Amino acid sequence: MFNIQTTDANILETKSLGYIFFFEQDKVVLNKEILELIPFAQEITKQREFKGSNGQILDLTAQYQGQAITCLLVGIGTHKNDILSLEHYRRAIAKCVRVIEKFKLTTISIELPYAKIFNISTQRLAYETTVVLLKSGYHFDEFITEKSARVSINSEIYLCSNNIENNKEINDGINLGNVVGKAINDARTWCDTPPSRLTPAILAHKAKEIADKNNLKITIFNQSDITKMGMGGLEGVAQGSQHECKFVILEYNCNRPNAQTIGLVGKGITFDSGGLSIKPANSMETMKDDMAGAAIVISTMQVIANTRPGVNVIAFAPIAENMPSGTAIKPGDVLRFYNGKTAEVKNTDAEGRLILADALSYAVKNYNLNAIIDIATLTGACKYAVGPGYAALLSQHDDLAAKIQAAAKISGDKVWPLPMDDDYKNAIRCDIADISNTGSPAYLAGTITAAFFLQHFVSDIPWVHLDIAAIAFDVPDKPYFRSGATGFGVRLFTDLILNWNK
Ligand code: BES
Ligand code: ZN
Ligand code: ZN
């Protein structure tokens, strides 16, 4: 756990065990603080050819005021006033966290670089720094018995600026960063929790805790309510499981006249065995993460409640477990959804769209939404389409899609569009029901045909579908993640919603 704060004091007065300074490529000018901490800094940077190149870290140890201290000189490469430079900075910070963990530095002071390098405000820089520190310090280690084998450490971190006038901005950035970082890590914790310890009822209870703590309205429908309401998709998926399904709705009301309302819908399959169309063993290993979408929309509501934006936000999370059993739905079964449409279940492993169908129908019928966005680990095909660096974005509403693409870009949670061409509608044609829950093999593009299935349930409200199957967990080679869940989506929704009226 990192406790991040700012200070009015000079960086040297913090008496920290660790100090971090940033350098642009070929601009290695050592300030007087560095030279006081490391009197041999000039020589050693030359000797070790520290040039400030992107990702280069020089760790130096010295004695300062009777204490052994570590100084990290960190390169962020050539700045281009852009988003890429900011991402380099995020990764550089993440690498520093690994050093902090290795050396068990319990107090660290970071000299923030000039925000102008990245073409952002000082507040935003402090926000970004805080979020990436918290993301990088996350480890799901509660089941590692040997305490010494755990990597996470508790540290006090000071964000320092050589201009004291920046402190208010830094403080504001840290405050938002703490809220967003917590929301990301809460969502990751729920994803990483073993599936028998995070059942639909338990995830719904997590949502209740969030609601109570943040004064949000919450509705939790139980399985019997879900059956009564005619949500045949959610009920159908749950019927093979020992655990009852839930449908959670969290509401933030901004209490402003004429405010717009956004619906966020997240897939909450607490474990996806595939059902009777059972998955091969290795594909099932990560299927505790199949509730990532629900985790994101629920956790994001913490950010919304804390920041009180001028737009109403409602999170919808249909939650169930997809299991095979004597009571499970079978390939060939036909389900009827909340909006009256029917689908033939050709494959019980395409269950996400079945529960989303009911949640989307419910959202558009019972709320006056100006936009609806769903987020789901929906298709394995998405991993091949966009790879682990992106969520796939599918939409026929260009304005909403553009808004989300813009938020994605600044947030660092990246999205990439796939074509939602009406020609693909036929892929889910069905002879015995309105639609089929799988795309015809002739169409191949499973991520797109899944989106066309969902389209039957959103009426004509501006809608974007985000498939996060590739990026919700086990993303390789990003220093701010190790294995496990990423919390993708919290930063994106935060930037989208906080800037909604701009
Ligand atoms: N939860 C999976 C999709 C998934 C796969 C997410 C891998 C993350 C990583 C989803 O329910 C599923 O199994 N989809 C099927 C659909 C198919 C049967 C039409 C798939 O993608 O194979
Ligand atoms: Zn599935
Ligand atoms: Zn699934």
Side-chain angles (χ1 to χ4, degrees):
M1 277 284 285
F2 292 154
N3 182 27
I4 303 163
Q5 56 204 290
T6 187
T7 168
D8 290 346
N10 177 280
I11 190 162
L12 296 186
E13 289 165 24
T14 59
K15 300 208 176 337
S16 293
L17 291 172
Y19 298 84
I20 301 178
F21 298 91
F22 294 93
F23 299 89
E24 295 169 60
Q25 177 79 45
D26 298 322
K27 292 188 186 167
V28 182
V29 180
L30 303 171
N31 63 23
K32 66 175 192 309
E33 280 83 12
I34 299 175
L35 291 170
E36 195 171 330
L37 288 165
I38 314 277
F40 53 93
Q42 208 70 263
E43 273 165 78
I44 199 82
T45 48
K46 285 222 173 65
Q47 209 182 84
R48 300 209 187 150
E49 297 183 353
F50 179 78
K51 298 269 169 55
S53 60
N54 179 27
Q56 193 179 17
I57 296 185
L58 190 59
D59 69 74
L60 304 171
T61 304
Q63 192 185 34
Y64 181 68
Q65 297 188 337
Q67 203 171 231
I69 59 103
T70 302
C71 200
L72 304 182
L73 308 187
V74 183
I76 47 175
T78 312
H79 76 79
K80 299 194 195 83
N81 294 314
D82 64 359
I83 294 297
L84 189 61
S85 310
L86 182 58
E87 180 61 16
H88 290 162
Y89 173 69
R90 292 188 188 111
R91 292 179 193 191
I93 295 257
K95 279 189 171 180
C96 292
V97 170
R98 301 294 164 244
V99 180
I100 290 169
E101 289 165 349
K102 190 166 123 202
F103 294 165
K104 303 218 180 313
L105 302 174
T106 50
T107 45
I108 303 110
S109 295
I110 300 177
E111 177 91 47
L112 291 174
Y114 288 111
K116 283 205 186 79
I117 298 179
F118 312 110
N119 205 14
I120 56 177
S121 66
T122 301
Q123 180 178 340
R124 180 77 192 191
L125 181 70
Y127 162 79
E128 291 284 354
T129 308
T130 305
V131 170
V132 78
L133 282 167
L134 294 174
K135 268 172 74 162
S136 311
Y138 169 88
H139 299 279
F140 186 73
D141 54 10
E142 64 174 275
F143 294 105
I144 295 173
T145 314
E146 190 69 57
K147 287 245 161 46
S148 62
R150 298 183 182 181
V151 223
S152 48
I153 64 161
N154 294 327
S155 301
E156 292 292 322
I157 302 185
Y158 299 98
L159 303 191
C160 307
S161 160
N162 49 18
N163 181 357
I164 197 163
E165 282 169 20
N166 286 337
N167 272 19
K168 156 107 183 57
E169 276 200 55
I170 294 175
N171 216 14
D172 291 348
I174 292 175
N175 288 342
L176 179 61
N178 274 325
V179 174
V180 172
K182 176 182 188 305
I184 293 171
N185 289 344
D186 282 351
R188 293 166 86 186
T189 305
W190 305 335
C191 288
D192 287 336
T193 298
S196 299
R197 294 172 185 261
L198 194 103
T199 59
I202 297 174
L203 183 52
H205 183 71
K206 301 281 180 201
K208 174 90 173 72
E209 286 175 350
I210 300 273
D212 291 348
K213 209 165 151 198
N214 296 281
N215 256 316
L216 294 167
K217 181 178 172 197
I218 186 165
T219 311
I220 302 179
F221 291 114
N222 297 321
Q223 186 148 317
S224 56
D225 308 317
I226 288 160
T227 306
K228 268 188 229 134
M229 292 192 291
M231 298 187 155
L234 184 50
E235 181 197 24
V237 171
Q239 79 189 36
S241 166
Q242 299 284 335
H243 298 287
E244 287 203 357
C245 58
K246 302 279 175 189
F247 182 34
V248 174
I249 304 172
L250 277 169
E251 296 179 49
Y252 160 75
N253 193 321
C254 70
N255 291 318
R256 293 188 205 182
N258 307 322
Q260 298 215 335
T261 303
I262 309 172
L264 303 175
V265 184
K267 168 178 172 181
I269 294 292
T270 58
F271 184 70
D272 183 10
S273 70
L276 286 175
S277 314
I278 198 160
K279 285 181 182 293
N282 59 347
S283 308
M284 224 188 276
E285 280 174 15
T286 53
M287 283 299 114
K288 66 175 182 182
D289 288 282
D290 212 18
M291 34 53 76
I296 295 307
V297 301
I298 293 167
S299 203
T300 297
M301 293 305 284
Q302 304 184 73
V303 180
I304 306 302
N306 269 280
T307 51
R308 305 205 60 83
V311 54
N312 303 318
V313 185
I314 305 167
F316 302 87
I319 312 173
E321 189 187 57
N322 187 24
M323 294 292 277
S325 77
T327 57
I329 45 167
K330 308 161 188 82
D333 273 342
V334 172
L335 305 177
R336 188 181 294 280
F337 302 97
Y338 184 77
N339 72 350
K341 291 197 183 181
T342 58
E344 181 181 8
V345 179
K346 293 236 173 78
N347 188 315
T348 64
D349 196 11
E351 83 299 337
R353 63 197 78 183
L354 303 176
I355 69 168
L356 288 172
D358 282 325
L360 291 166
S361 312
Y362 185 91
V364 299
K365 171 142 192 251
N366 295 288
Y367 293 85
N368 201 355
L369 300 177
N370 299 92
I372 187 159
I373 303 154
D374 77 83
I375 180 162
T377 46
L378 205 62
T379 63
C382 184
K383 300 211 238 178
Y384 298 89
V386 295
Y390 294 86
L393 175 146
L394 295 106
S395 183
Q396 291 186 336
H397 297 94
D398 295 347
D399 291 349
L400 181 61
K403 230 173 156 128
I404 290 175
Q405 283 173 290
K409 217 168 195 168
I410 49 169
S411 73
D413 279 350
K414 298 193 288 184
V415 303
W416 201 269
L418 293 182
M420 243 192 120
D421 185 321
D422 278 339
D423 281 352
Y424 291 31
K425 275 187 176 169
N426 280 339
I428 52 167
R429 203 171 33 201
C430 182
D431 291 335
I432 68 153
D434 299 336
I435 45 177
S436 157
N437 85 325
T438 61
S440 133
Y443 281 82
L444 289 166
T447 307
I448 302 175
T449 56
F452 275 111
F453 183 96
L454 299 179
Q455 195 188 45
H456 283 264
F457 304 94
V458 288
S459 67
D460 49 9
I461 291 170
W463 164 64
V464 161
H465 163 57
L466 298 172
D467 193 331
I468 54 167
I471 201 169
F473 56 89
D474 291 355
V475 166
D477 297 328
K478 294 275 169 68
Y480 34 75
F481 302 133
R482 289 150 57 105
S483 63
T486 61
F488 178 95
V490 172
R491 290 185 304 171
L492 168 59
F493 289 147
T494 298
D495 279 322
L496 178 74
I497 291 163
L498 297 190
N499 296 309
W500 188 259
N501 298 320
K502 284 189 190 141

